[in-house]
């Protein structure tokens, strides 16, 4: 994986973080009922975006770089790349500290949600899981990703 940053996080934890972020970014009902309502335990849009790109550097290079580790194939990677680009474009326009409503009201948000949904559904299917279950809290994600 020439050029990939070295750290102690195994690929399956990266995949869990990416899937968690995509799950939250792809679910308008969750966004309204949890993020917009200010329910604790799930972070906010900015937290999801950071979970999506922080350890993977998907804001700097293509998910294709991780095919065979985090992503199962090129189609999965391409769907993730599309979602990342759409969400980051909005984040750069509204700002990382913008309220949740600024994201949800952005004219590009429905396209970002659709792209995140496409990636989330593909990754969930690849992992044999139901893409329509509600997103897990960040505490559950932490438990799932313990080494």
């Amino acid at each position: 994986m020439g050029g990939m940053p070295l750290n102690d996080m195994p690929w399956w934890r990266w995949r869990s973080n990416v899937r968690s972020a995509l799950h939250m970014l792809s679910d308008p009902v969750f966004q309204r009922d949890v993020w917009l309502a200010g329910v604790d335990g799930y972070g906010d849009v900015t937290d999801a975006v950071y979970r999506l790109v922080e350890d993977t550097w998907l804001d700097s290079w293509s998910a294709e770089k991780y095919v065979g580790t985090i992503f199962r194939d090129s189609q999965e990677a391409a769907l993730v790349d599309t979602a990342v680009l759409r969400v980051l474009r909005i984040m750069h326009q509204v700002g990382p500290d913008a309220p949740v409503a600024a994201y949800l009201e952005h004219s590009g948000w429905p396209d970002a949600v659709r792209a995140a949904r496409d990636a989330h559904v593909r990754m969930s299917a690849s992992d044999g899981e139901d893409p329509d279950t509600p997103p897990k809290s960040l505490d559950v994600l932490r438990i799932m990703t313990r080494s």
Side-chain angles (χ1 to χ4, degrees):
M1 289 257 181
M4 188 167 79
L6 299 176
N7 68 27
D8 59 348
M9 183 178 281
W11 68 267
W12 57 269
R13 287 176 59 190
W14 286 354
R15 185 173 177 88
S16 297
N17 283 332
V18 168
R19 283 201 48 208
S20 168
L22 288 170
H23 196 169
M24 291 179 184
L25 292 166
S26 73
D27 186 342
V29 173
F30 167 84
Q31 293 164 15
R32 181 194 66 223
D33 294 350
V34 175
W35 282 344
L36 204 53
V39 174
D40 287 335
Y42 294 88
D44 60 15
V45 179
T46 303
D47 294 322
V49 173
Y50 286 142
R51 212 167 37 260
L52 185 62
V53 301
E54 184 175 34
D55 292 313
T56 60
W57 290 44
L58 292 175
D59 54 338
S60 298
W61 53 55
S62 172
E64 184 69 28
K65 196 173 199 70
Y66 298 108
V67 169
T69 56
I70 300 172
F71 306 110
R72 296 188 189 277
D73 56 37
S74 291
Q75 184 182 9
E76 199 174 84
L79 291 170
V80 170
D81 279 340
T82 300
V84 167
L85 291 174
R86 289 189 180 158
V87 169
L88 286 178
R89 184 177 305 126
I90 295 167
M91 180 181 229
H92 291 305
Q93 290 173 0
V94 301
D97 296 324
V100 171
Y103 287 90
L104 276 55
E105 294 167 1
H106 189 279
S107 62
W109 192 249
D111 288 336
V113 168
R114 198 167 18 265
R117 175 74 181 168
D118 291 345
H120 166 63
V121 166
R122 173 69 185 219
M123 292 181 77
S124 294
S126 293
D127 292 344
E129 296 181 6
D130 179 1
D132 295 322
T133 59
K136 294 173 178 61
S137 72
L138 297 181
D139 285 340
V140 170
L141 180 64
R142 269 190 285 284
I143 292 167
M144 289 173 41
T145 58
R146 280 192 193 146
S147 296

